[in-house]
Amino acid sequence: MKNAYKQFATTQAFTDYVVFPLEGVWSLTAKGQQLAYLDKNESSYDIMIRIPDFVPDDLIRPALQAVKAKKSLPAIDQLEIKRIPAMDCAQILHVGRYDDEPASFDKIDALVASAGRKRLSKVHREIYLSDARRVAPDNLKTILRYQID
């Protein structure tokens, strides 16, 4: 996407940008929502990378088609472009293993409750600031975020 934008920008005013980090929107299957405990096998998720607002919409589809023509990516047909509206949320920087995230959620839940607010659903977003292939598990940095009322 960024390369397509750079080519487009040679004829326009160019705003350079850093590619945003990988994000995951996590939820639970219907069965997982009924359980009294967290069963990771009942998780569902969408993975995404943000496209800056200043990248023109008419540039996105041709860039995706170019990638599809060059690379064999089995899941590329499942790709969707979505606009996610702004919302009130609470977030925390979690440092450590993904399996240790419940402790960070406990902290953010306490903060939200102390402010007289509440979590609206079990859906949450994880923004992966570290590359899990290159960073030791105890040093992973992940922003955990969920919507509040």
Side-chain angles (χ1 to χ4, degrees):
M1 183 61 55
K2 185 172 181 180
N3 285 337
Y5 176 70
K6 279 183 174 180
Q7 291 173 356
F8 165 82
T10 59
T11 61
Q12 308 290 322
F14 176 67
T15 303
D16 197 9
Y17 67 95
V18 174
V19 175
F20 288 92
L22 187 69
E23 299 184 35
V25 177
W26 290 83
S27 187
L28 295 170
T29 64
K31 178 182 174 185
Q33 291 181 28
Q34 303 302 316
L35 298 173
Y37 59 92
L38 177 63
D39 180 350
K40 286 189 172 186
N41 294 321
E42 295 300 326
S43 294
S44 63
Y45 60 90
D46 289 322
I47 297 297
M48 62 187 166
I49 296 179
R50 183 171 185 225
I51 300 171
D53 294 335
F54 57 79
V55 174
D57 288 345
D58 60 348
L59 189 66
I60 296 170
R61 296 261 177 238
L64 291 175
Q65 292 302 323
V67 169
K68 188 175 180 178
K70 287 182 185 178
K71 300 190 179 220
S72 175
L73 302 171
I76 198 164
D77 291 329
Q78 297 173 25
L79 191 117
E80 298 177 69
I81 306 298
K82 294 182 179 181
R83 292 198 186 274
I84 300 173
M87 61 188 78
D88 285 344
C89 66
Q91 67 183 18
I92 190 169
L93 174 64
H94 171 77
V95 179
R97 299 172 182 273
Y98 299 133
D99 285 343
D100 297 336
E101 288 177 354
S104 291
F105 277 113
D106 288 345
K107 289 177 185 177
I108 195 171
D109 291 343
L111 176 68
V112 168
S114 73
R117 310 283 298 266
K118 67 178 181 175
R119 185 175 182 167
L120 291 180
S121 75
K122 293 184 180 182
V123 174
H124 75 276
R125 181 176 294 189
E126 297 184 3
I127 304 171
Y128 306 106
L129 302 178
S130 303
D131 184 339
R133 300 169 298 177
R134 296 189 175 118
V135 175
D138 289 338
N139 297 327
L140 291 170
K141 292 182 180 173
T142 308
I143 295 174
L144 304 175
R145 176 186 294 166
Y146 60 71
Q147 189 175 7
I148 58 174
D149 71 344

